[in-house]
Amino acid sequence: MGASDNTVGLTLAVASSAFIGASFILKKIGLIRAGKGGVRAGGGGYTYLLEPLWWAGMITMLFGEIANFVAYAFAPAVLVTPLGALSIIVSSLLAHFMLKERLEKLGVLGCVSCIVGSVIVVIHAPQEHMPNSVEEIWNLATQPGFLTYASATLVIVAALVLFFEPRYGQKNIMIYLGICSSMGSLTVVSIKAIGVAIKLTLDGMNQVAYPHTWLFVIIAIICVVSQINYLNKALDTFDLAVVSPIYYVMFTTLTIVASGIMFKDWAGQSFSSIASEFCGLITILTGTIMLHTSKEEERGSSAALPWPLDRGSISWYISLGSDNLLKNVNEDYFAALQSSPAPV
């Protein structure tokens, strides 16, 4: 049963990444088309709401999030969470071919690293032990190990919110991302519990009557709202190219730690398998950072390209008596470029 559950979870996680990665492209194309016929979204316009491709992207993303949610009910977080990096590969490759956004060598290397790391994680992932009830999951959540982790997480989050955020939130990116990553790890274990409850209920073992089910729902809602709130603050304050890789690294690491402590994902595994999983995880994280670095370098190089009209003043004259009017214009234009003083 464990192997088949892992296979289902793996399939759902990969499908989720494919849907989410494709959704970014569909929404991007929809926004571009909407911007040609009205005010762009960046300028406060909402014409994209009338664009079918944008809605197709939203629906595709919804399917991806649902698949990711269900995947946690079948497979351990150490298998599902790292595979989220595949969505970046899907969006990067589709952007390269459909949006003509060039994928640099560093980006290609990042894609390869993510794929290699994902294969390593899949091969050495632990088998999922399916709890028989939500009450059993609650017992796992109230064991000393996870209670210590959860308590430490809440204390750290409280310190970050009450003390560090007012003083350093606008200066240090780790404040906002530390809060949303820590809450995100609790979100995932709560969502996994809810997913298991739904799966058991569909199998004929009703879990709705258990108060623990609704307690996990409440915890998940609180954690999701907090996570989204502080992630939005981070995105509003710092560059996306910096927020995305750091958040992915912190969220993935803390989620795997939280799930490993609560569900004992590594119980019964050999040291070599656990070491291989961590090597695969580090490879994925490295690939993700390289992908984002590649995109940032591409933006920087595009912005740094010199545009002649921005460098000094250019003037030329047209001689009506010239035998070759176009030749004179070209020669005078480039002569002005060469003699134009460098900007101070």
Side-chain angles (χ1 to χ4, degrees), residues 69-94:
F69 173 82
V70 178
Y72 280 109
F74 289 91
V78 69
L79 173 61
V80 176
T81 306
L83 293 180
L86 297 180
S87 65
I88 305 175
I89 297 178
V90 173
S91 62
S92 297
L93 292 176
L94 290 177

Side-chain angles (χ1 to χ4, degrees), residues 211-268:
H212 307 98
T213 301
W214 299 105
L215 187 57
F216 278 122
V217 170
I218 294 173
I219 294 173
I221 292 174
I222 295 173
C223 291
V224 166
V225 171
S226 302
Q227 183 181 357
I228 293 175
N229 178 44
Y230 284 98
L231 180 57
N232 285 336
K233 287 187 177 184
L235 291 171
D236 187 55
T237 308
F238 303 98
D239 291 341
L240 175 62
V242 178
V243 172
S244 294
I246 296 178
Y247 174 63
Y248 179 79
V249 169
M250 294 180 65
F251 171 73
T252 301
T253 303
L254 292 177
T255 295
I256 290 175
V257 170
S259 178
I261 294 174
M262 179 171 170
F263 294 101
K264 297 177 173 56
D265 292 331
W266 297 295

Side-chain angles (χ1 to χ4, degrees), residues 34 52 57 71 111 114 126 132 139 144 156 164 170 179 185 207 227 267 281-284 303 305 329 332 342:
C111 289
C114 288
N132 297 318
N139 291 333
I156 292 173
F164 290 97
Q170 298 293 315
I179 296 171
S185 67
Q207 303 295 306
Q227 183 181 357
L281 174 61
I282 292 173
T283 304
I284 294 174
L305 286 176
V329 170
D332 290 340

Side-chain angles (χ1 to χ4, degrees), residues 85-214:
L86 297 180
S87 65
I88 305 175
I89 297 178
V90 173
S91 62
S92 297
L93 292 176
L94 290 177
H96 178 77
F97 292 106
M98 299 179 66
L99 299 177
K100 306 305 179 184
E101 295 182 3
R102 186 178 177 184
L103 189 61
E104 303 291 344
K105 293 180 180 179
L106 184 60
V108 174
L109 184 59
C111 289
V112 173
S113 297
C114 288
I115 293 173
V116 171
S118 298
V119 171
I120 295 174
V121 169
V122 169
I123 292 175
H124 297 280
Q127 302 301 326
E128 174 76 336
H129 167 67
M130 181 59 63
N132 297 318
S133 68
V134 175
E135 192 173 12
E136 182 180 340
I137 300 179
W138 180 255
N139 291 333
L140 292 174
T142 53
Q143 289 185 351
F146 187 75
L147 282 178
T148 301
Y149 173 84
S151 300
T153 297
L154 294 177
V155 169
I156 292 173
V157 168
L160 290 174
V161 171
L162 298 176
F163 180 79
F164 290 97
E165 183 196 354
R167 295 170 174 80
Y168 310 108
Q170 298 293 315
K171 302 176 183 178
N172 193 325
I173 191 174
M174 301 302 292
I175 306 299
Y176 290 142
L177 294 187
I179 296 171
C180 60
S181 298
S182 299
M183 298 302 290
S185 67
L186 299 180
T187 300
V188 169
V189 294
S190 301
I191 287 179
K192 183 175 178 65
I194 298 169
V196 171
I198 294 174
K199 182 176 183 294
L200 292 174
T201 300
L202 294 177
D203 289 339
M205 294 175 283
N206 188 10
Q207 303 295 306
V208 178
Y210 286 97
H212 307 98
T213 301
W214 299 105

